[in-house]
Amino acid sequence: MAGLVVAMDGPSGSGKSSVSRGVARALGLRYLDTGAMYRAMTWWMLRQGVDVADAAAVAARCGEPALVSGTDPDAPAIHVDGVDVAGPIRQADVTGAVSAVAAVPEVRRRLVALQREIVGDGDIVVEGRDIGTVVCPDAGVKVYLTASAEARARRRSAEVTGSTVEAQQADMARRDTLDSTRTTDPLSMAAGAVELDTTELTLDEVIAEVLRLVKERT
Ligand SMILES: Nc1ncnc2c1ncn2[C@@H]1O[C@H](COP(=O)(O)OP(=O)(O)OP(=O)(O)O)[C@@H](O)[C@H]1O
Ligand SMILES: Nc1ccn([C@H]2C[C@H](O)[C@@H](COP(=O)(O)O)O2)c(=O)n1
C-alpha cells in the first residue's frame, strides 16, 4: 500500500515550510520543499547569465542543471551541480526572478517529474503551489494554508534583518500575483483541500490542526 502524502499549498509566507517540517517531524515522514527547487533552477539561470525574462532562453537551458533535494525535515538541503545552494537561493536576486522562471512550462514539466520521483511511494509532506492540484492530486491529505497579507509580511520581516513590513508585503503581493495568474499550474486551492487561515494561530496550533486532519483522514 502506498504511504501517506500530505500536500501543503498556499501563498508566500503562509507558513508552508514551518508547518510541513513540524508535521513531518511529528509523524516521522520525509519533507520536500518544491519552492527550493524552483529557486535552485533560478539561481543556476542567473549564474549562467540567462535572461530570465526570456522564456524561450530559460526553456532551452532548463534541462542542464543537476538538482538534488534532501528530504530530512531537520536538515533541508538542496544542491545544484554538486554546489550547496541552500543559502544563495534565499537571496533577493533569486526571490526577484523565481516567479518568471517558475512560469516557464518546460521548467515546470522537468521539476514536476523530479518531484514525483522523490515522492515515490509516499511517507512525505510536500509543500509548494501546485502540490494538491498537479504534483500529487491523489494525496491523502491536502491543506491550503492562508493568512492575512499583513500577518504574512510581519512574520517574514521578523526573520529578515533590515526589512520593513511594507517592503515584504509589496514583494509578496507581486510574487503571489505572478504565481496565481501564470497560465501553467497557477497557485490555486485543490479540490478536496482544507483551507486553514493561520492569521490568529500560533505555529504550534497550526501543526496540531494539520496533525488532527491527518488522523481524521487516514
Ligand atoms: N502560525 C504562525 N504564527 C507565527 N509565525 C509563523 C506561523 N507560521 C509561520 N510562521 C513564521 O512565518 C515565517 C514564514 O513561514 P514559512 O517560511 O514557513 O512560510 P512559507 O509559506 O513556506 O513561505 P514561502 O512560500 O515564501 O517559502 C517564518 O518565520 C515562520 O516561522
Ligand atoms: N510548487 C511550486 C513551488 C514554488 N513555486 C514558485 C513560486 C514561488 O514564488 C517560488 C519560490 O517558492 P517559495 O520558496 O517562496 O515557496 O517558486 C511554484 O511555482 N510551484
Side-chain angles (χ1 to χ4, degrees):
M1 197 178 78
L4 174 67
V5 175
V6 179
M8 187 80 62
D9 291 302
S12 50
S14 54
K16 300 179 298 295
S17 305
S18 331
V19 174
S20 298
R21 290 175 67 187
V23 169
R25 248 184 237 126
L27 297 175
L29 300 177
R30 298 179 296 140
Y31 157 71
L32 179 63
D33 178 354
T34 63
M37 298 172 78
Y38 287 94
R39 287 174 178 272
M41 178 67 80
T42 304
W43 174 86
W44 184 87
M45 292 287 168
L46 293 174
R47 197 163 140 131
Q48 296 292 316
V50 176
D51 175 4
V52 297
D54 180 347
V58 171
R61 305 281 313 266
C62 71
E64 294 182 38
L67 265 58
V68 178
S69 301
T71 58
D72 178 349
D74 288 320
I78 182 141
H79 291 80
V80 182
D81 295 338
V83 179
D84 177 355
V85 294
I89 62 168
R90 303 289 161 195
Q91 284 170 2
D93 56 342
V94 173
T95 300
V98 65
S99 291
V101 172
V104 176
E106 290 80 357
V107 169
R108 303 203 71 79
R109 214 171 298 137
R110 177 164 186 232
L111 295 190
V112 168
L114 271 177
Q115 290 155 15
R116 287 183 177 150
E117 246 175 62
I118 296 167
V119 171
D121 287 335
D123 286 334
I124 193 163
V125 183
V126 189
E127 60 124 326
R129 304 294 191 289
D130 59 347
I131 309 306
T133 51
V134 175
V135 180
C136 306
D138 298 327
V141 179
K142 297 182 187 180
V143 179
Y144 191 84
L145 280 190
T146 61
S148 72
E150 205 265 336
R152 291 187 285 125
R154 198 168 3 90
R155 292 170 184 173
R156 181 62 85 214
S157 76
E159 66 179 9
V160 180
T161 352
S163 86
T164 64
V165 175
E166 292 71 23
Q168 284 297 332
Q169 195 164 329
D171 183 60
M172 285 173 161
R174 178 191 65 79
R175 213 143 54 86
D176 289 343
T177 300
L178 291 171
D179 295 339
S180 54
T181 56
R182 65 176 177 237
T183 47
T184 310
D185 309 342
L187 165 68
S188 64
M189 192 163 108
V194 174
E195 182 170 2
L196 196 49
D197 184 341
T198 74
T199 307
E200 303 295 336
L201 301 178
T202 66
L203 184 51
D204 285 346
E205 287 171 335
V206 182
I207 293 170
E209 179 56 19
V210 176
L211 291 173
R212 194 193 61 72
L213 271 175
V214 170
K215 201 168 171 194
E216 180 184 282
R217 280 156 192 248
T218 54

